Amino acid sequence: HLAAQQRDFEACIARCPGRSLRRRRQVFARMQRARLYLEGHRDRVVRLSELAELTSFSSWYLSKTYHELYGESPQAASV
């Protein structure tokens, strides 16, 4: 099970923006932080500015990258 999850993560990392593998992993880790934050706060609508502050990305970059990785916008995931 763990090996399958790691393969899924590697596929997501490959889709992340960045020139180096290190940068793509960093972006993926921040996106995972945002996703886990959304999952942990399902009882309320999380604002995009909150996620941007959490990940240290701009709202635009966060929204664009989140949609590329997970196939939905952070706003849709929050609802």
Side-chain angles (χ1 to χ4, degrees), residues 2 6 11 14 18 33 36 42 44 59 64 66 70 73 76 78:
L2 184 59
Q6 286 176 332
R33 187 181 311 149
L36 291 173
R42 291 203 182 266
R44 65 183 185 89
S59 298
K64 176 183 162 224
Y66 193 96
Y70 304 116
S73 69
S78 178

Side-chain angles (χ1 to χ4, degrees), residues 9-10 29 40-42 44 46 51 55 59-61 70 77-78:
F9 285 163
E10 289 298 322
H41 292 87
R42 291 203 182 266
R44 65 183 185 89
V46 177
L51 293 176
T55 59
S59 298
W60 176 84
Y61 187 83
Y70 304 116
S78 178

Side-chain angles (χ1 to χ4, degrees), residues 30-41:
R30 290 181 184 184
M31 290 295 110
Q32 280 292 97
R33 187 181 311 149
R35 188 173 191 184
L36 291 173
Y37 187 82
L38 285 171
E39 289 177 7
H41 292 87

Side-chain angles (χ1 to χ4, degrees), residues 17-78:
R19 293 184 185 187
S20 67
L21 180 59
R22 180 178 180 210
R23 175 63 179 162
R24 287 191 296 265
R25 284 181 176 163
Q26 182 185 46
V27 170
F28 179 70
R30 290 181 184 184
M31 290 295 110
Q32 280 292 97
R33 187 181 311 149
R35 188 173 191 184
L36 291 173
Y37 187 82
L38 285 171
E39 289 177 7
H41 292 87
R42 291 203 182 266
D43 57 331
R44 65 183 185 89
V45 176
V46 177
R47 294 182 303 131
L48 188 58
S49 60
E50 275 183 78
L51 293 176
E53 186 176 326
L54 178 72
T55 59
S56 299
F57 286 142
S58 69
S59 298
W60 176 84
Y61 187 83
L62 172 75
S63 182
K64 176 183 162 224
T65 306
Y66 193 96
H67 190 272
E68 286 178 21
L69 283 178
Y70 304 116
E72 65 180 348
S73 69
Q75 295 89 347
S78 178

